[in-house]
Amino acid sequence: MTTLTVFAILICAAQQRWHWMAALVAALVGELTYRYFKLNQFNGPFLAAITEWWHTPILMGLQADKHYVKLSKQYGDLVRIGPSHLLTSSPDFWIHANNTKTAYARSPWFYRAMRFNPGEDTVFSQCDIAKHDARRKQMAPGFSGKENLGLEVDIDGHVQELLQLIQSKYMSTAEISKPMDLAMKVQYLALDIISDIGLGQSFGDLKAEADNHDYIASGAIGLRITFMKIALGLTSFFDNYYVASLLGPSEKDKTGFGKVKGVARRIIDDRLEKPTDGKSDMVASFVRNGLTASDLFNESFNQILAGTDTTSCSIRVIMLYLMTNPSIYAKVRAEIDTAWPASEPGIIPDSIARNLIYLQAVVREAMRMHPPVSDLFTREVPNGGDTFTFPSGKEVYFPGGTRISYSIAMHTDPEHYGADAHVFRPERWLTQNTPREKLARMQKINDLIFGYGKFHCLGQRIAFIEINKTIVELVRRFDISLVDPLQPWKSACYGGIYVQGDMWVQVRERGS
Ligand code: HEM
């Protein structure tokens, strides 16, 4: 509305219609004043109080994560980032807003842009609380061990493929180096795993050592468009069926995002022609729990988006911290050697990996230092408003309809993690180093990396199986080091999802 008013003022000025112009300027000043005072009890940059456009360049840039963290550090637990929009780095308030009992809903402002077919929602983009809960109930069994019996074996197979690829092509020696882009290989791994378990057929990227269906090539463009839609307020426009048909990716496309959608559709359609009775994987579970063919396509495709960049970023971050901390690399390897010795040729079982205390401390710590997703995950305060009492005792009233977004600044806040919150120190997660009560609070905050309550990540268990196995098998078999420690990788943050590449490493035989 304001943009239109500004536009109209400019036209009146050009046509020298001064009376009209004065009226429009008065209306604009009235509107901006109203906006400014709406949430003026919250601090933030001045421009953010009067216009949404203020954070448009941040969302469209490639360092949104750093900008929002900076704001949280500057203004505290609650920052005003729009006329009706706050950013919170308070774990207690975020837990409250995501609790299964509260009526905070996902904000269409953010989540509508996560649809990849106009008008069709997935469990992730659904903003209606009742519909979201119902879909989540239908899907949860597919993520559990009970209805997805082949999960671990499937993951093992793909981790083996990664190891074979490294051993056959990328072993450096003292005489010759064969640099490998770890970022890309890990992305192939994550894509193969998620396509296998989510669609029932792997993309086969590791075997081909190629981005077989253009997912990686088109992913960065897709992410940029998604966050551009949010940043420019164009989500509804692009969610229109006719606009999407004309401008959006088509499943008939020969390249890009449309091609990936087309491949996923074909795999799902083929799969649905075969009986799912007696099968125990994710697709079979979704069918048994009532998902229609179109729901199934949307949800399965959503798994690929939700589970690829997130897990591959986690593996890269953990490896980066290990490679740059040799004593921690050695310590975690010693723990693995005891539990899963070199004489074991296979992939470590999840039951052993998840009980390696130091490994788990390393994983938590690396994901704390660099959470694999830093999305805003915006919520809306229920109609009628809400009052929350912060741990400091301060009571805060939030008017109904206010947008509230999540800030990853909470994960490096000295208030929760101490004065060395900015330092990679896995030992902080060990019971002998941190009092039990403090540790429990730290863990609760750290768990928010996977969301909370009614929106908690459905794939967390799968992600950890994949992450643990990959880290263990890389660390116990190889000596891996960065080719250029001064430039470990190229990393860009698209809204809140990381696109990383050029993570060149040298892999050598252990102890060689
Ligand atoms: C390290 C890896 C991962 C991280 C950090 C992560 C993080 C998250 C977060 C923060 C949310 C909540 C979003 C919100 O509040 O709106 C979420 C939701 C979700 N995640 Fe993950 N995720 C990861 C891996 C995965 C994987 C591997 C899958 C699939 C196999 C997956 C599937 C989902 C789904 C389906 C939802 C939506 C849940 C709902 O709306 O009820 N995620 N994830």
Side-chain angles (χ1 to χ4, degrees), residues 106 111 123 132 136 194 303 314 379 449-451 455 457:
R106 280 177 164 155
Y111 287 94
V123 69
H132 169 266
R136 198 176 154 91
I194 207 72
Q303 309 303 326
S314 309
R379 310 280 179 252
I449 288 170
F450 285 89
F455 304 116
C457 175

Side-chain angles (χ1 to χ4, degrees), residues 94 98 106 110-111 122-126 132 136 139 143 194 197-198 282 299 302-304 306-314 367 371-373 375 377-379 406 447-460 462-464 466-467:
W94 194 242
N98 288 274
R106 280 177 164 155
F110 184 83
Y111 287 94
T122 64
V123 69
F124 186 68
S125 67
Q126 181 58 261
H132 169 266
R136 198 176 154 91
M139 290 178 64
F143 288 86
I194 207 72
I197 61 181
M282 199 178 261
E299 297 297 358
N302 186 45
Q303 309 303 326
I304 300 179
T308 305
D309 295 313
T310 47
T311 31
S312 43
C313 174
S314 309
M367 287 167 86
V373 261
D375 272 337
F377 295 135
T378 313
R379 310 280 179 252
Y406 155 83
D447 287 344
L448 294 179
I449 288 170
F450 285 89
Y452 187 79
K454 55 182 176 248
F455 304 116
H456 184 260
C457 175
L458 280 167
Q460 180 175 2
I462 296 173
F464 274 129
E466 187 176 335
I467 292 167

Side-chain angles (χ1 to χ4, degrees), residues 77 89-97 388-391 410 415-416 441 444-445 448:
D77 272 0
S89 55
S90 158
D92 303 280
F93 180 62
W94 194 242
I95 286 169
H96 167 75
F388 181 72
T389 309
F390 282 76
M410 66 178 76
E415 193 187 319
H416 314 307
R441 171 137 175 96
K444 194 164 183 185
I445 298 170
L448 294 179

Side-chain angles (χ1 to χ4, degrees), residues 190-252:
L191 260 176
D192 281 356
I193 291 178
I194 207 72
S195 50
D196 200 353
I197 61 181
L199 299 173
Q201 189 184 311
S202 163
F203 278 0
D205 284 6
L206 273 174
K207 271 204 183 115
E209 218 196 334
D211 179 15
N212 269 336
H213 302 299
D214 283 358
Y215 174 86
I216 302 172
S218 55
I221 302 167
L223 283 172
R224 215 159 189 174
I225 294 173
T226 302
F227 286 98
M228 186 202 75
K229 286 193 281 185
I230 299 174
L232 299 178
L234 293 173
T235 305
S236 307
F237 174 71
F238 280 103
D239 198 36
N240 177 287
Y241 175 79
Y242 297 102
V243 175
S245 312
L246 203 66
L247 300 177
S250 156
E251 289 173 30
K252 293 188 189 112

Side-chain angles (χ1 to χ4, degrees), residues 41-270:
Q41 66 275 38
F42 300 100
N43 293 325
F46 169 75
L47 276 179
I50 52 173
T51 172
E52 287 283 353
W53 291 102
W54 171 83
H55 68 154
T56 299
I58 300 182
L59 275 175
M60 287 186 66
L62 296 179
Q63 295 204 318
D65 53 343
K66 293 193 179 64
H67 281 282
Y68 290 118
V69 166
K70 203 167 146 203
L71 283 175
S72 295
K73 292 209 162 127
Q74 187 177 349
Y75 292 99
D77 272 0
L78 291 164
V79 189
R80 189 177 189 187
I81 57 169
S84 288
H85 196 163
L86 303 172
L87 178 75
T88 185
S89 55
S90 158
D92 303 280
F93 180 62
W94 194 242
I95 286 169
H96 167 75
N98 288 274
N99 200 305
T100 42
K101 293 186 192 90
T102 57
Y104 281 73
R106 280 177 164 155
S107 169
W109 174 80
F110 184 83
Y111 287 94
R112 280 280 181 277
M114 306 296 152
R115 286 174 168 171
F116 34 79
N117 276 333
E120 294 175 21
D121 275 307
T122 64
V123 69
F124 186 68
S125 67
Q126 181 58 261
C127 297
D128 179 291
I129 296 181
K131 285 185 186 162
H132 169 266
D133 288 355
R135 175 55 56 85
R136 198 176 154 91
K137 271 201 195 99
Q138 286 178 300
M139 290 178 64
F143 288 86
S144 77
K146 276 191 213 137
E147 289 208 21
N148 199 344
L149 297 176
L151 181 75
E152 206 177 330
V153 179
D154 289 344
I155 295 180
D156 283 359
H158 295 296
V159 176
Q160 280 287 12
E161 281 172 7
L162 173 68
L163 300 175
Q164 275 153 17
L165 176 66
I166 296 175
Q167 267 148 351
S168 63
K169 278 187 78 174
Y170 293 105
M171 293 309 296
S172 293
T173 61
E175 289 74 37
I176 186 153
S177 67
K178 297 183 181 173
M180 176 183 90
D181 181 1
L182 183 64
M184 198 52 97
K185 305 300 176 252
V186 161
Q187 183 116 20
Y188 291 161
L189 170 75
L191 260 176
D192 281 356
I193 291 178
I194 207 72
S195 50
D196 200 353
I197 61 181
L199 299 173
Q201 189 184 311
S202 163
F203 278 0
D205 284 6
L206 273 174
K207 271 204 183 115
E209 218 196 334
D211 179 15
N212 269 336
H213 302 299
D214 283 358
Y215 174 86
I216 302 172
S218 55
I221 302 167
L223 283 172
R224 215 159 189 174
I225 294 173
T226 302
F227 286 98
M228 186 202 75
K229 286 193 281 185
I230 299 174
L232 299 178
L234 293 173
T235 305
S236 307
F237 174 71
F238 280 103
D239 198 36
N240 177 287
Y241 175 79
Y242 297 102
V243 175
S245 312
L246 203 66
L247 300 177
S250 156
E251 289 173 30
K252 293 188 189 112
D253 291 349
K254 295 270 180 297
T255 54
F257 206 60
K259 181 181 168 190
V260 192
K261 276 172 73 179
V263 170
R265 174 85 68 188
R266 273 198 304 284
I267 296 176
I268 286 289
D269 285 351
D270 286 353

